Amino acid sequence: MNQTSEPLRLPLTNPPESSVNAQGQYHMANFDDHDVQLMAHYSTVVCFTITDELDRVKVWQTTIPSLALSWPFLRHGLLALSAMHYRLACPVDRQIYFADSARRHLSIGLESYIPHVQATSAESCAALFAFATIVPAVCYSFLQAIDTELEGEDLIDQFLYIWSYLLGPKALAQEARQWIHQSEVASLVSLRVLENIIPDLAHEPKIALETLLVECQPRYQGPFSEGEDISPDWQQQQALRERVEHYKHAIEMLSNAFPTSTGQPAQLGAVIGWPVFTSQAFLDLIRSKDPLALAILAHYGKALHEFTGFWWLDGLGRRLIEAVYQVLGADHIHLIQ
């Protein structure tokens, strides 16, 4: 376990009031030699650790740093991620310094980002989308390297908190779709639409997800014929039917996070984006610690664990599975065995 003076927690601290001007821009004069070193580290090392798709590496290596020259909030996001990566090779007594640097840069970036995202334009949309994509990775890196003592419900709740940041790229992709698709970062939004590919999966994940689908079925009785009286029992059954649909949709979307029977690996973007492609109602079921929703979450942890080679995700899949084990009662533990 990495040792620091104390775990760093999100939400992040606010930047000094003097650092951000009325337009939400951070003055270049505030960038010191340390920041220049971090940006160089980003461009030569960190940019290769963000994606598993070769056609996007160049975007992260050259296009986005170029955008960051004009958009300080994006530059702060890159510096935050770079500081957390730089921390990995530091002596223990220096790790807290780079963690604090990352926290400061991300906090300033978020402070600067908000006024721009509230007035998205064709000029700003590419930088906004890039920053919104970087933020979850930085948050995962905090969870991976610093908040190592979180477990059980606390860890699950922290995942839910990080997932709230994933709504940023989704909202921008929807609201500024035309601008983004005509921008320098168009390739970052080219992820195919997720769909149910359970029948095409490799044997082990296919059996696991099919078993989860079977577990959904006994949770309601039906069908209901038209003209039946709407009794409290019927209304309860209808609510259960709707819940089952949220379970099924989450499971079907999760199928994109596993390799296929033909050896086609899952894309990192499909794994990271899974929470966004589920429904808010399903995320609320996780938040309420619904047993079947937690079982589905544990299988997501399995998919996430396959990407442990990405430093900012290292060990998080395993920790998420262990957290679900800690929360599920004895009556439901069979769902993830």
Side-chain angles (χ1 to χ4, degrees):
M1 179 180 297
N2 294 321
Q3 297 179 4
T4 60
S5 58
E6 61 179 288
L8 298 180
R9 297 285 186 257
L10 296 172
L12 304 168
T13 57
N14 292 323
E17 292 183 2
S18 60
S19 64
V20 182
N21 67 18
Q23 286 73 42
Q25 295 176 324
Y26 190 77
H27 297 296
M28 279 296 294
N30 288 295
F31 286 85
D32 53 24
D33 291 343
H34 168 76
D35 296 331
V36 173
Q37 180 185 22
L38 287 178
M39 186 57 75
H41 182 64
Y42 170 84
S43 297
T44 57
V45 180
V46 180
C47 63
F48 299 104
T49 71
I50 299 174
T51 181
D52 58 348
E53 297 177 70
L54 294 178
D55 61 330
R56 299 185 179 190
V57 170
K58 188 173 182 180
V59 175
W60 287 110
Q61 183 185 19
T62 60
T63 304
I64 289 179
S66 178
L67 280 172
L69 294 175
S70 302
W71 300 98
F73 61 82
L74 177 56
R75 186 158 59 247
H76 281 291
L78 301 183
L79 290 170
L81 189 63
S82 183
M84 285 303 292
H85 186 271
Y86 207 90
R87 175 187 176 277
L88 295 175
C90 286
V92 172
D93 61 349
R94 292 286 291 167
Q95 290 178 1
I96 190 67
Y97 172 79
F98 284 97
D100 283 342
S101 175
R103 179 170 62 178
R104 176 176 61 87
H105 280 298
L106 183 56
S107 183
I108 295 171
L110 288 168
E111 180 87 359
S112 168
Y113 164 82
I114 291 172
H116 287 291
V117 81
Q118 291 173 340
T120 304
S121 66
E123 292 74 23
S124 66
C125 67
L128 290 170
F129 186 82
F131 179 81
T133 304
I134 280 287
V135 169
V138 179
C139 293
Y140 275 129
S141 74
F142 273 93
L143 187 58
Q144 180 272 332
I146 298 172
D147 290 332
T148 55
E149 296 180 358
L150 288 181
E151 58 183 16
E153 291 190 11
D154 291 337
L155 182 65
I156 293 170
D157 289 342
Q158 193 68 3
F159 266 92
L160 289 166
Y161 179 80
I162 293 173
W163 291 348
S164 68
Y165 282 114
L166 291 172
L167 298 177
K170 180 181 180 182
L172 282 166
Q174 292 174 339
E175 296 174 10
R177 177 180 297 273
Q178 182 175 355
W179 288 338
I180 293 176
H181 278 282
Q182 295 174 349
S183 75
E184 309 96 308
V185 299
S187 65
L188 299 185
V189 292
S190 63
L191 182 70
R192 61 183 172 80
V193 177
L194 303 189
E195 57 188 10
N196 179 13
I197 61 168
I198 293 178
D200 302 323
L201 293 182
H203 178 72
E204 183 177 345
K206 177 182 178 181
I207 296 301
L209 296 190
E210 286 178 343
T211 300
L212 285 176
L213 286 174
V214 171
E215 288 289 340
C216 294
Q217 303 311 314
R219 292 177 171 263
Y220 71 92
Q221 296 178 352
F224 304 101
S225 59
E226 295 184 7
E228 288 184 349
D229 292 334
I230 303 178
S231 64
D233 287 343
W234 187 93
Q235 291 175 335
Q236 184 178 24
Q237 290 293 317
Q238 183 67 15
L240 287 174
R241 292 186 71 181
E242 293 174 358
R243 178 179 296 190
V244 166
E245 291 306 310
H246 293 302
Y247 292 141
K248 290 173 62 178
H249 179 68
I251 294 168
E252 290 170 354
M253 294 300 97
L254 187 54
S255 66
N256 295 264
F258 293 98
T260 67
S261 58
T262 60
Q264 180 69 30
Q267 292 182 350
L268 175 63
V271 177
I272 297 298
W274 173 75
V276 174
F277 290 103
T278 64
S279 63
Q280 183 59 52
F282 176 75
L283 298 181
D284 289 340
L285 289 171
I286 295 177
R287 185 171 287 106
S288 66
K289 308 306 181 287
D290 174 87
L292 187 51
L294 289 179
I296 297 169
L297 180 63
H299 285 77
Y300 173 71
K302 170 64 174 175
L304 195 63
H305 182 69
E306 295 303 313
F307 288 87
T308 197
F310 285 83
W311 64 274
W312 45 280
L313 294 174
D314 188 26
L316 289 183
R318 173 186 54 78
R319 287 175 60 193
L320 184 58
I321 295 170
E322 291 173 351
V324 173
Y325 264 104
Q326 293 167 352
V327 175
L328 275 180
D331 292 342
H332 301 100
I333 205 69
H334 70 280
L335 295 173
I336 56 176
Q337 290 178 332

